[in-house]
């Protein structure tokens, strides 16, 4: 099993900053893509930013030049630095991690893919 623990959400005013963290743990063999998604009330979940194992990043147009995603491979952790927050950034933010996990049976080891979501952390930006 792979577990994700998110932290860093909260209530801020327009223009302020927050930093989200998401740490992955469990039977992880390798991590490919780590990303952040968000879902506002009444809207579909959308990609905010993601980062590959080669540090290639991808951002939603609405957050470019304000948000920065990064990862610490030694800690299996992904961060989202959010600057210049706006009321429209208000949402529940979810971490998503994709990779390969390692398991063991009585017959030996096996590897399979995982695609795991965090529990979500609330970000509220007041005007």
């Amino acid at each position: 099993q792979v577990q994700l623990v998110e932290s860093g959400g909260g209530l801020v005013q327009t223009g302020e900053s927050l930093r989200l963290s998401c740490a992955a743990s469990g039977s992880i063999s390798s991590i490919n893509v780590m990303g952040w998604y968000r879902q506002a009330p009444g809207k579909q979940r959308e990609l905010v930013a993601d980062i590959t194992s080669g540090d290639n990043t991808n951002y939603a147009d609405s957050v470019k030049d304000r948000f920065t995603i990064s990862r610490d491979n030694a800690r299996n952790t992904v961060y989202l630095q959010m600057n210049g927050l706006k009321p429209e950034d208000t949402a529940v933010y979810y971490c998503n991690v994709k990779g390969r996990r390692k398991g063991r049976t009585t017959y030996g080891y096996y590897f399979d893919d995982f695609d795991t979501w965090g529990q979500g952390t609330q970000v509220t930006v007041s005007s």
Side-chain angles (χ1 to χ4, degrees):
Q1 296 292 339
V2 176
Q3 299 84 34
L4 303 182
V5 177
E6 302 170 357
S7 61
L11 172 63
V12 296
Q13 295 187 335
T14 298
E16 294 185 338
S17 299
L18 281 174
R19 188 191 194 208
L20 305 183
S21 299
C22 172
S25 63
S27 304
I28 298 171
S29 175
S30 62
I31 293 178
N32 185 11
V33 182
M34 307 182 85
W36 289 95
Y37 291 72
R38 66 186 181 187
Q39 187 166 19
K43 294 188 176 181
Q44 288 189 331
R45 190 173 297 188
E46 63 175 359
L47 174 69
V48 176
D50 61 21
I51 182 168
T52 69
S53 57
D55 286 337
N56 293 312
T57 57
N58 177 42
Y59 293 93
D61 288 341
S62 59
V63 306
K64 281 180 181 177
D65 301 323
R66 298 188 298 124
F67 292 8
T68 302
I69 190 170
S70 61
R71 60 191 281 172
D72 182 338
N73 293 324
R75 292 179 169 83
N76 289 339
T77 300
V78 62
Y79 305 97
L80 185 68
Q81 178 66 43
M82 304 185 293
N83 299 328
L85 283 161
K86 305 175 181 180
E88 50 264 44
D89 295 317
T90 296
V92 178
Y93 284 69
Y94 296 91
C95 174
N96 176 260
V97 176
K98 299 179 177 64
R100 297 280 285 175
R101 65 181 178 180
K102 179 179 180 180
R104 185 175 182 180
T105 70
T106 55
Y107 303 102
Y109 292 100
Y110 69 89
F111 295 86
D112 62 6
D113 295 331
F114 71 87
D115 182 343
T116 301
W117 291 88
Q119 78 282 4
T121 185
Q122 177 70 46
V123 172
T124 303
V125 185
S126 64
S127 57

